Amino acid sequence: AIGEVQYLYKNIDNIEKLVNDSLNIDFAYYFDLDINNDGNLDMLATYKPEGSQIEHEALVEGDDSYIRITNKGEVYGFKYITPISLEPNTTYVVELKARGTTKPETFNLYAWSNGAAEPKQGELTAIELDNNWRTYSFEFTTDSDIEPGRQSIRIQHNGKDMGYIDVKDLIIFSKKGDLI
């Protein structure tokens, strides 16, 4: 709920986009949430298998907070935002602002649902980054067997790359009237 309020505040001049595009905002994350003030971003976790050197650094530029993800290891790893609650049989659009210096084959995004017969619900792979913030998006429809509250968005760095991935402003929209 905090992220959705942040989204509406940051986009007050563009609210008609939601109406015109027939979208509902379902989830927003801005890489600045540390409610318990422990120095760790809330809802952000790491999967780091052996051989991965994935790590992130929280940074601020002007009014924007973001993370810089690196992985100089030989194996992929990912940062993931969880828990997210998505509904079965619903079409979603995921938007993520990113920039960076990695090769295209290094950066992938996944919508994941633990416990589903097919956990990978959607993806955007081989993302080409440059030094400018850009919005990358993908659309997917959740399977009928997902259980709300068990979803995450995975930001995967495949390793074997000295470059970085900066990410901010993860937003998930559902399409209005799109229940199957």
Side-chain angles (χ1 to χ4, degrees), residues 7 15 21 27 36 38 40-41 45 50-51 68 73 83 85 91 102 128 130 136 144-145 149 153 166 168 173-175:
Y7 176 83
I15 295 302
D21 291 350
F27 181 81
N36 61 2
D38 67 355
N40 296 313
L41 295 175
E50 186 174 333
R68 176 164 288 173
S85 187
T91 300
T102 59
E128 293 188 42
D130 61 34
Y136 299 89
S144 61
D145 70 338
I153 298 296
D166 289 346
K168 67 176 181 174
F173 301 98
S174 61
K175 289 204 158 178

Side-chain angles (χ1 to χ4, degrees), residues 1-11 28-30 32-33:
I2 293 172
E4 289 87 344
V5 171
Q6 279 181 288
Y7 176 83
L8 293 171
Y9 178 75
K10 288 182 174 203
N11 294 282
Y29 189 83
Y30 286 95
D32 64 355
L33 186 62

Side-chain angles (χ1 to χ4, degrees), residues 5-148:
V5 171
Q6 279 181 288
Y7 176 83
L8 293 171
Y9 178 75
K10 288 182 174 203
N11 294 282
I12 195 77
D13 295 332
N14 297 318
I15 295 302
E16 67 275 0
K17 176 188 186 308
L18 293 176
V19 175
N20 294 338
D21 291 350
S22 300
L23 299 173
N24 289 319
I25 183 167
D26 273 13
F27 181 81
Y29 189 83
Y30 286 95
F31 298 93
D32 64 355
L33 186 62
D34 182 10
I35 293 174
N36 61 2
N37 207 22
D38 67 355
N40 296 313
L41 295 175
D42 297 337
M43 300 176 63
L44 183 66
T46 302
Y47 176 73
K48 185 176 182 176
E50 186 174 333
S52 176
Q53 295 178 20
I54 192 161
E55 52 189 41
H56 79 272
E57 177 183 9
L59 300 166
V60 176
E61 186 175 278
D63 292 336
D64 292 325
S65 297
Y66 63 97
I67 61 170
R68 176 164 288 173
I69 301 170
T70 57
N71 182 1
K72 298 171 185 165
E74 293 297 312
V75 177
Y76 80 98
F78 55 85
K79 299 293 177 172
Y80 60 105
I81 296 99
T82 190
I84 298 172
S85 187
L86 303 179
E87 295 295 323
N89 302 317
T90 304
T91 300
Y92 291 95
V93 176
V94 174
E95 291 185 353
L96 180 80
K97 284 189 183 165
R99 67 180 181 191
T101 61
T102 59
K103 298 174 283 202
E105 61 272 13
T106 301
F107 179 29
N108 300 324
L109 280 173
Y110 299 99
W112 203 263
S113 187
N114 289 326
E118 173 51 56
K120 183 174 59 177
Q121 299 290 303
E123 66 183 0
L124 182 62
T125 59
I127 300 168
E128 293 188 42
L129 297 172
D130 61 34
N131 289 322
N132 299 308
W133 288 111
R134 299 194 192 288
T135 300
Y136 299 89
S137 66
F138 65 98
E139 183 175 307
F140 65 98
T141 301
T142 52
D143 294 339
S144 61
D145 70 338
I146 72 163
E147 184 181 325

